[in-house]
Amino acid sequence: MISANSNSSPTASGNLLDVHDLCKYFPIFSKGLVPKRIGEIRAVDNISFSVRKGETLGIVGESGSGKTTAARSILRALTPTSGQVWFDSDLFGRIDLSQLSEKALKPLRREMQMVFQDPFSSLNPRMTVGDIVGEPLVIHGMGSRAERRDLVASMLEKVGMKAIHMQRYPHAFSGGQRQRIGIARALIMRPKLIVADEAVSALDVSVQAQVINLLQDLQDEFGVTYLFVAHDLSVVRHICDRVAVMYLGKVVEFGPTEAIFSNPRHPYTKALLSAIPQPDPDVPLRPEAMGEIGDLNRFAGMDMTPVFHPE
Amino acid sequence: MPENTDKAVAPVVDNVLEVDDLCVSFFTEEGEVKAVNGVSFEVGRGRCMAIVGESGSGKSVTAYSIMRLIQSPGKIVGGKIRVFPHGQPVIDVAQLRDKDPLLYHVRGGLVSMIFQEPMTALSPVHTVGNQICEAILLHREVTPAEAKNQAVQMLTRVGIPNPEARMRQYPYEFSGGMRQRVVIAMALVCKPVLLIADEPTTALDVTIQAQILTLIRELQQELGTSVLFITHDIGVVAQIADDVAVMYRGRIVERGTVRQVIKKPLHPYTKGLLGAIPGLAAPGTRLPTIESVLAGRDISRPMPLLTAPDGRLVALSDTEIQEQFTPAIP
């Protein structure tokens, strides 16, 4: 099912990804012998945004805001309930990913890869680093054994590791090195889009700085586009060109990073930014948000219409 | 405060905790690992001291040693950990036997602890009320009814709405932020002289973190409890601490007030740690890493702490300290 607009010229808008009215609902079933569907959780509720080629788009929000579900639905790790995800593919032109079959998706998976949060659980402990990084090549049937080995070696060097590390197992590496392995695995297919889901959250600040620098260097070299899902707002401010702020499954504010950080207009964004502890004892913390996510009284009486900053 | 402990002068400052030359080693199959190697610091009464460092720097092992929670193959191999209770004799925690009744008095009574993941500190099979009452009944001679009363008061104080009903609920019925409030209530209900907080907000969202930090700050001022705060987040340190110790490879490399250390770091490792925070660098630029700040300098060799002209302690040579305090010639 290869749909619409089959001419493979780049889209007029220059967007790599156009997300329209994306929804992902999870059903709730009743307890008992014959479970009945009694409702649904709207994890992602009607979100729309676009991602330009070569930019880094940040999705920020608290746990439960739907940022990870949104990213996974775009990449089709989850099947969206409704909505469209237009992806500008090299192979098929502009194509809607949202309702494609697994079989139709497989060739497209080369063009989009993922880097996960936890470098300990996302690498198979029984595979060598060479096998882990080379596995996408095997799955897509690319190259001979020797060619694959050379590619893996050169990719490991690109992420700051050595070719001799190929024979070792993940346990021999530190958290930062494992995250480099995860990045090498994502990059080996030369994807157009990398979804980084909390890719630096589990790392110490000095290691985090190295991985952030690496991600930026690789973007300069390969022109890859990042969808960067994170809860750490200072990391997002540092590397993202534009930001989508999510709250309760909706995008509440969207725009260029500096516009959002220097002039937040949505009450939720203001509350979120006010909660960042500044590394300066003379800038005291004055959190505006009270209560927890999902507490609907949290912003009682406030105007919750989404804000879209002009470019 | 210059601290050459050999002097026979009584301490002018009122401290609740003095850790002196603490050494903790783990005896693994590969040999002895010195996790904490000669750490000394003190926590003043009513003050908040933060220990900051990366994973493996020994900050958590230091905290666990104060509670004597280091388990085999780990062992406290040297040093003193002195706790100063109100109007009672000084207790050296490092010298107590494992089953000493005094140790049980220290744990939870004089010194209490909150952890990163509240679920590990709470029992999933007991109600929240029972768990808080247990802490009171262990350390205070009160009736169960009075204990329950105190528990409700404490839950109210940490901001849990409808505390009577919440007492009968189990931890799984609480959200992460609310669980951490329960743990704080449990830790403070016996009015300890020192609260050790080991990364208490790391697992929480930034908005909840802000609320928990504010709560700890308020309770500290209200109850006069001292706090030893273990964290890797410089932002949190700047917001909550009065004094800071920076740990690296089992040693303290810099120690002073929060303004001294964060506003004008002297040690290259502290500079690197501060430089690597994305919030302080201009967006889009390369972040300085500890390696780039050190520029090939070897800081792994242990150095004694020297007193800088502004009173802080730093593991640098005298000339290096002087260089940083010499005013630049215009």
Side-chain angles (χ1 to χ4, degrees):
Chain A
M1 195 181 95
I2 309 296
S3 59
N5 256 3
S6 52
N7 63 348
S8 56
S9 63
T11 54
S13 55
N15 289 342
L16 180 68
L17 206 61
D18 279 303
V19 179
H20 288 298
D21 303 328
L22 185 72
C23 296
K24 177 68 190 174
Y25 299 162
F26 293 102
I28 309 169
F29 292 102
S30 62
K31 287 177 186 166
L33 206 58
V34 189
K36 262 193 291 189
R37 195 183 161 126
I38 52 169
E40 56 201 9
I41 291 186
R42 301 187 166 201
V44 173
D45 196 9
N46 246 324
I47 63 168
S48 304
F49 58 84
S50 55
V51 186
R52 293 185 192 135
K53 281 195 186 106
E55 79 167 344
T56 303
L57 181 86
I59 303 184
V60 299
E62 291 168 275
S63 13
S65 62
K67 55 189 194 301
T68 296
T69 309
R72 295 180 77 103
S73 303
I74 289 167
L75 210 68
R76 278 299 303 278
L78 292 168
T79 306
T81 309
S82 65
Q84 292 134 34
V85 180
W86 290 98
F87 179 68
D88 188 28
S89 162
D90 280 344
L91 296 166
F92 303 109
R94 202 165 139 81
I95 185 167
D96 180 12
L97 301 175
S98 63
Q99 301 302 329
L100 290 182
S101 68
E102 276 302 321
K103 208 174 153 212
L105 273 168
K106 193 182 165 189
L108 280 161
R109 297 240 183 254
R110 289 187 207 178
E111 299 183 57
M112 40 191 198
Q113 292 285 325
M114 195 153 179
V115 179
F116 298 92
Q117 170 170 13
D118 183 358
F120 290 85
S121 58
S122 60
L123 303 178
N124 186 340
R126 298 175 62 155
M127 284 167 77
T128 63
V129 168
D131 290 342
I132 289 171
V133 177
E135 197 182 17
L137 297 171
V138 177
I139 290 171
H140 292 282
M142 292 165 79
S144 67
R145 190 175 284 265
E147 282 167 359
R148 288 201 297 263
R149 198 177 51 233
D150 290 348
L151 253 175
V152 170
S154 72
M155 192 46 77
L156 282 176
E157 274 162 20
K158 286 232 156 57
V159 299
M161 298 192 52
K162 295 193 184 92
I164 52 156
H165 291 149
M166 279 169 71
Q167 281 96 45
R168 299 201 194 149
Y169 289 88
H171 72 84
F173 297 98
S174 66
Q177 287 173 314
R178 285 180 201 219
Q179 204 57 300
R180 287 170 193 268
I181 297 167
I183 292 168
R185 172 176 63 184
L187 269 173
I188 197 143
M189 300 304 295
R190 297 293 162 92
K192 298 178 82 178
L193 174 71
I194 288 187
V195 173
D197 187 3
E198 304 274 11
V200 298
S201 313
L203 306 173
D204 266 323
V205 62
S206 66
V207 181
Q208 177 178 292
Q210 294 167 3
V211 174
I212 289 172
N213 288 342
L214 173 68
L215 286 172
Q216 288 182 321
D217 293 346
L218 294 170
Q219 186 168 44
D220 293 344
E221 189 174 344
F222 298 114
V224 60
T225 305
Y226 292 125
L227 191 60
F228 197 88
V229 179
H231 69 274
D232 187 334
L233 295 153
S234 50
V235 173
V236 167
R237 183 174 198 170
H238 187 77
I239 73 165
C240 293
D241 301 304
R242 293 190 300 162
V243 175
V245 183
M246 282 190 73
Y247 178 60
L248 290 175
K250 292 189 159 67
V251 171
V252 294
E253 190 155 356
F254 185 82
T257 309
E258 264 325 291
I260 287 188
F261 276 86
S262 56
N263 181 25
R265 302 219 314 261
H266 193 275
Y268 177 70
T269 316
K270 285 183 187 168
L272 193 64
L273 294 180
S274 74
I276 309 174
Q278 295 298 326
D280 183 342
D282 295 323
V283 183
L285 195 60
R286 287 200 188 84
E288 289 179 15
M290 283 300 141
E292 314 234 335
I293 192 164
D295 178 0
L296 295 172
N297 296 325
R298 202 182 194 187
F299 299 105
M302 279 203 199
D303 180 15
M304 293 295 281
T305 7
V307 179
F308 292 89
H309 288 260
E311 297 293 317
Chain B
M1 196 41 49
E3 51 100 55
N4 255 328
T5 37
D6 296 337
K7 282 178 194 157
V9 186
V12 189
V13 204
D14 187 15
N15 290 330
V16 294
L17 176 75
E18 285 180 10
V19 174
D20 191 16
D21 201 22
L22 177 69
C23 294
V24 184
S25 288
F26 285 79
F27 296 92
T28 64
E29 282 169 16
E30 283 100 48
E32 182 183 354
V33 179
K34 292 180 174 173
V36 175
N37 196 356
V39 161
S40 306
F41 63 91
E42 55 271 340
V43 182
R45 203 172 291 280
R47 294 195 54 98
C48 179
M49 163 96 177
I51 300 184
V52 60
E54 294 177 272
S55 335
S57 60
K59 57 190 194 301
S60 283
V61 173
T62 306
Y64 277 58
S65 306
I66 298 165
M67 292 289 270
R68 282 289 296 274
L69 292 172
I70 300 291
Q71 288 179 333
S72 176
K75 200 168 178 285
I76 298 176
V77 289
K80 289 190 185 117
I81 302 169
R82 283 177 299 178
V83 176
F84 297 77
H86 262 304
Q88 286 166 43
V90 181
I91 303 166
D92 184 355
V93 180
Q95 297 301 321
L96 295 178
R97 283 174 295 110
D98 278 344
K99 298 254 157 108
D100 200 311
L102 209 52
L103 188 57
Y104 294 114
H105 173 58
V106 171
R107 263 188 212 148
L110 288 176
V111 183
S112 60
M113 191 154 177
I114 50 181
F115 300 86
Q116 174 172 351
E117 179 43 66
M119 255 335 237
T120 57
L122 293 169
S123 159
V125 297
H126 294 97
T127 61
V128 158
N130 279 346
Q131 296 185 54
I132 300 176
C133 289
E134 186 193 9
I136 304 170
L137 293 168
L138 268 176
H139 295 287
R140 298 273 181 276
E141 284 178 9
V142 293
T143 61
E146 172 57 23
K148 194 178 164 217
N149 199 8
Q150 287 182 9
V152 171
Q153 274 176 18
M154 201 63 215
L155 283 181
T156 316
R157 184 59 204 84
V158 297
I160 290 182
N162 199 4
E164 276 93 355
R166 290 298 236 172
M167 291 272 286
R168 291 189 294 275
Q169 289 185 328
Y170 290 87
Y172 76 88
E173 296 172 90
F174 289 69
S175 67
M178 284 294 157
R179 273 180 212 153
Q180 199 59 289
R181 285 173 195 265
V182 170
V183 175
I184 292 171
M186 225 161 107
L188 291 178
V189 77
C190 289
K191 308 252 182 327
V193 292
L194 177 68
L195 174 70
I196 301 174
D198 185 12
E199 306 257 12
T201 60
T202 307
L204 304 174
D205 271 318
V206 63
T207 52
I208 313 296
Q209 166 174 286
Q211 295 166 23
I212 298 290
L213 289 180
T214 315
L215 177 70
I216 293 177
R217 240 328 189 197
E218 282 170 13
L219 286 170
Q220 186 205 352
Q221 280 159 9
E222 194 179 307
L223 305 173
T225 311
S226 306
V227 178
L228 181 64
F229 204 97
I230 314 292
T231 184
H232 68 276
D233 188 334
I234 306 268
V236 170
V237 171
Q239 293 304 325
I240 199 152
D242 302 309
D243 307 293
V244 186
V246 181
M247 275 189 81
Y248 174 72
R249 293 203 183 181
R251 292 176 165 273
I252 290 177
V253 292
E254 185 158 1
R255 208 180 99 200
T257 66
V258 69
R259 280 189 176 73
Q260 288 171 342
V261 175
I262 288 183
K263 293 247 169 175
K264 190 173 184 278
L266 293 187
H267 197 278
Y269 179 75
T270 318
K271 289 178 184 170
L273 208 55
L274 281 160
I277 306 173
L280 293 178
T285 55
R286 282 184 75 83
L287 285 170
T289 60
I290 290 180
E291 288 68 30
S292 71
V293 172
L294 290 178
R297 221 192 103 145
D298 183 22
I299 55 164
S300 57
R301 196 168 53 89
M303 298 266 291
L305 286 171
L306 296 180
T307 310
D310 63 355
R312 83 175 90 180
L313 294 159
V314 59
L316 288 175
S317 70
D318 243 338
T319 47
E320 281 171 314
I321 296 173
Q322 287 312 322
E323 274 168 27
Q324 307 209 41
F325 277 88
T326 323
I329 298 143

